[in-house]
Amino acid sequence: MVCSFSVRAEQAWLPKTPMQETYQALLADRPKVAWQELIFALSQQQIPTERWAKIKYAIINQTDCGQQLTEPNGKGIPQGLTISFVRRAGASSLGYEIKLSAEQVERDTLLTLTDPTGQTVLNEILNAKSGYQEIESGQLFTQITPGIYELRMGGQHYSLVVYGLPRRPWVKLIGHPEQQLAVDVPDTPISCSPAAAHWLWLDDAYRWIEQTPIYLSGRADNSYAPTKIKLPTSSLVNAEHLSVTVSHFEYQGAIKVNYVERLALPLPRSENKK
């Protein structure tokens, strides 16, 4: 539904497009095959994001938010493996970051992630551990490049199709002197959870204290205007930093791919903290 018209137009006018096999598989109601063809097409040559983003959207939507995709399968993948592509904004933090988290890692595992240009963005060891752990790329000063990311882990190789993060922010501060947030959540496939926004409270060492949801029910279904949200008027005990996050996720087989925007905010000061 999302892309059938554009797909048919593409076939009619550009029958020799590099993504022809992807289009044909999707039109034949074979989204798993279309996924493999999409990975192959993107790994062979550079294709503008606008040419494949809607196709990926449709495939993810038709495969239970990507959970029905057979690749990557669960073999050799730790429980809860998540790759997060993060954009940070605000006076104290600017740039991009890639994080990988996992649980129940059975053995020490070397992990390498390369971006579509071939640059290594993660090269760390996941330690044998039953609990949660994460590794980070550190601050990146260039945008998250859309395309194929190659993940090598424990002798296995997985290809991930990553949207990147749009230039237009999902959340920003507006107004003066009374500031508000303008939150413009991205659209997600129907079979995925909707994008969500949260307040994130941190201590002086940037350790997590509490995360609370931001309800966006004030936005009309037929309106494309961002939702305006008032900033908190009081702070939590021990909180020294406040951020707002907007995020959405999909699955690519056994791997969860998370897209996050995080905006640092001025911490509200009050005599009586909660």
Side-chain angles (χ1 to χ4, degrees), residues 52-143:
W52 58 263
K54 289 184 178 180
I55 302 296
K56 179 195 168 181
Y57 185 106
I59 294 171
I60 294 294
N61 192 45
Q62 293 178 26
T63 54
D64 191 19
C65 198
Q67 294 182 89
Q68 296 177 14
L69 295 172
T70 55
E71 292 293 340
N73 58 33
K75 182 179 179 181
I77 298 179
Q79 180 179 331
L81 183 66
T82 301
I83 299 179
S84 297
F85 297 88
V86 184
R87 173 167 53 201
R88 297 178 180 274
S92 61
S93 181
L94 291 170
Y96 298 83
E97 188 175 29
I98 299 174
K99 293 185 177 183
L100 185 142
S101 60
E103 301 177 13
Q104 305 294 338
V105 179
E106 296 180 355
R107 61 184 64 87
D108 289 353
T109 304
L110 176 63
L111 178 146
T112 302
L113 181 69
T114 56
D115 69 12
T117 69
Q119 180 178 351
T120 299
V121 291
L122 278 175
N123 186 34
E124 299 286 346
I125 292 177
L126 282 175
N127 298 314
K129 185 178 180 181
S130 60
Y132 175 88
Q133 63 181 299
E134 66 179 30
I135 57 178
E136 303 178 356
S137 66
Q139 191 172 26
L140 305 173
F141 295 99
T142 57
Q143 286 196 334

